[in-house]
Amino acid sequence: MLDRLQRVSFDYFLKECNLENGLVADRNQPGSPASIAATGLALSIYIVAVGHGVLSRRAAVTRVLTILRFFYSSVQGPEPDSTGYKGFYYHFLDMKTGRRAQNCELSTIDTAMLMAGILSASAWFTHDTVREREIRQLADALYARVDWQWAQDGAATIRHGWKPECEFLPDRWESGYSEALILYVLAAAAPRYPVAPDGYCQWAASFEVRKAYDLEYVYAGPLFIHQLSQIWIDLRGVQDDLNRGLGFDYFENSRRATYIHRQYGIENPRRFQHYGEYVWG
């Protein structure tokens, strides 16, 4: 069942992709724009596909290079129809032109997911060939171009996004445990515009510890929050001040959250249709 689920998931990234620029659609509905988060996931998934023998290394290199070349050469500027600005990219892009779609925001978290995929490709394609060297060079350039300090907008934490029509959005990644873990890790490690740890510490101070089904954990509602950053970062044994005091890391935290979601699905107190032992989360 797991093999089958993995394969049909992988097929999405083959079918819902523009081979001219590598962009991946946000959903498989006609007219759907591309999502930079989905494109970052595609970069990661192509690596896994090679490891599973369902995509050749040569084909994966072609797909990865197409994506990296597109973003490297795409229009960066404050114009409302550009692809990105300050190294960040708009959440949704036109599948064909690669320009901003749906009046969306320049997204810090979705750019982080794109960069995580880009850096995964750089770390995995290590052969000393012309094309794999180009992957690493483009990845380094794209990561270095992201101006994380600009996205702080004068404070310690990072803004959710920016629009040319109204500039920075009012919200920041500063309240509650969330998928922003990957954002702050990449921002702190950036080679050119790194952020100080103050923003992460301020954000982490807002985390809430709860207990459910006799399991204590750092709370976040949706299960994807507990999983998303760990697509790219192995958090086993990695601790901050909060979980060091709790006695378990974020990997264990995610494991506990999974059991909590499963038990809720089994008990199904609100009688949602289909919830049960094997449908939850």
Side-chain angles (χ1 to χ4, degrees):
M1 186 274 285
L2 182 58
D3 288 342
R4 189 166 61 252
L5 177 60
Q6 288 177 331
R7 183 54 199 255
V8 297
S9 298
F10 169 66
D11 286 347
Y12 177 89
F13 292 87
L14 289 185
K15 296 174 181 176
E16 304 300 331
C17 174
N18 180 354
L19 295 178
E20 297 297 317
N21 54 26
L23 294 176
V24 175
D26 181 58
R27 58 190 66 193
N28 62 346
Q29 294 177 345
S32 171
S35 159
I36 61 169
T39 305
L41 285 168
L43 288 163
S44 309
I45 284 166
Y46 295 150
I47 295 169
V48 176
V50 175
H52 281 253
V54 296
L55 186 68
S56 71
R57 189 181 188 101
R58 181 183 181 85
V61 166
T62 297
R63 285 176 175 268
V64 169
L65 271 178
T66 298
I67 294 171
L68 269 56
R69 287 169 177 167
F70 165 74
F71 280 106
Y72 183 74
S73 61
S74 64
V75 178
Q76 282 269 316
E79 300 79 14
D81 65 339
S82 66
T83 299
Y85 182 46
K86 296 286 187 179
F88 293 93
Y89 296 94
Y90 286 101
H91 189 169
F92 298 117
L93 302 174
D94 185 278
M95 281 290 292
K96 294 181 179 179
T97 67
R99 298 295 186 104
R100 180 192 186 197
Q102 299 184 348
N103 197 37
C104 67
E105 80 286 3
L106 197 75
S107 174
T108 54
I109 187 62
D110 292 285
T111 296
M113 287 185 271
L114 174 62
M115 288 299 147
I118 288 171
L119 293 175
S120 296
S122 175
W124 199 82
F125 290 104
T126 58
H127 287 183
D128 189 20
T129 63
V130 172
R131 299 211 304 162
E132 294 200 18
R133 284 198 301 271
E134 185 182 357
I135 287 175
R136 299 191 293 273
Q137 290 163 358
L138 289 173
D140 288 347
L142 287 163
Y143 183 35
R145 193 161 70 180
V146 183
D147 193 342
W148 307 97
Q149 295 172 8
W150 170 79
Q152 291 177 291
D153 188 31
T157 55
I158 294 173
R159 292 281 192 185
H160 278 202
W162 179 93
K163 282 187 171 186
E165 295 83 8
C166 59
E167 299 195 350
F168 284 107
L169 303 184
D171 292 328
R172 291 179 174 274
W173 294 105
E174 61 183 1
S175 179
Y177 183 51
S178 71
E179 66 272 28
L181 185 61
I182 185 68
L183 171 72
Y184 278 108
V185 169
L186 290 180
R192 188 176 298 167
Y193 303 108
V195 302
D198 308 40
Y200 176 88
C201 294
Q202 183 176 321
W203 173 58
S206 73
F207 295 177
E208 181 182 359
V209 178
R210 293 189 186 182
K211 197 169 190 178
Y213 304 115
D214 293 323
L215 291 172
E216 187 178 43
Y217 75 127
V218 179
Y219 172 77
L223 189 57
F224 86 88
I225 286 176
H226 296 282
Q227 299 171 336
L228 190 63
S229 295
Q230 293 179 70
I231 292 173
W232 298 287
I233 306 175
D234 184 353
L235 291 173
R236 288 172 291 185
V238 178
Q239 295 184 319
D240 58 15
D241 290 341
L242 174 63
N243 62 25
R244 188 178 296 111
L246 293 171
F248 54 85
D249 57 33
Y250 287 113
F251 180 89
E252 169 62 19
N253 193 74
S254 296
R255 192 184 72 86
R256 294 184 183 192
T258 303
Y259 276 110
I260 288 167
H261 274 259
R262 180 175 181 268
Q263 189 59 37
Y264 183 86
I266 291 170
E267 295 186 5
N268 195 10
R270 296 188 181 183
R271 296 293 173 258
F272 291 117
Q273 190 175 13
H274 304 307
Y275 268 27
E277 184 179 3
Y278 301 111
V279 181
W280 42 269

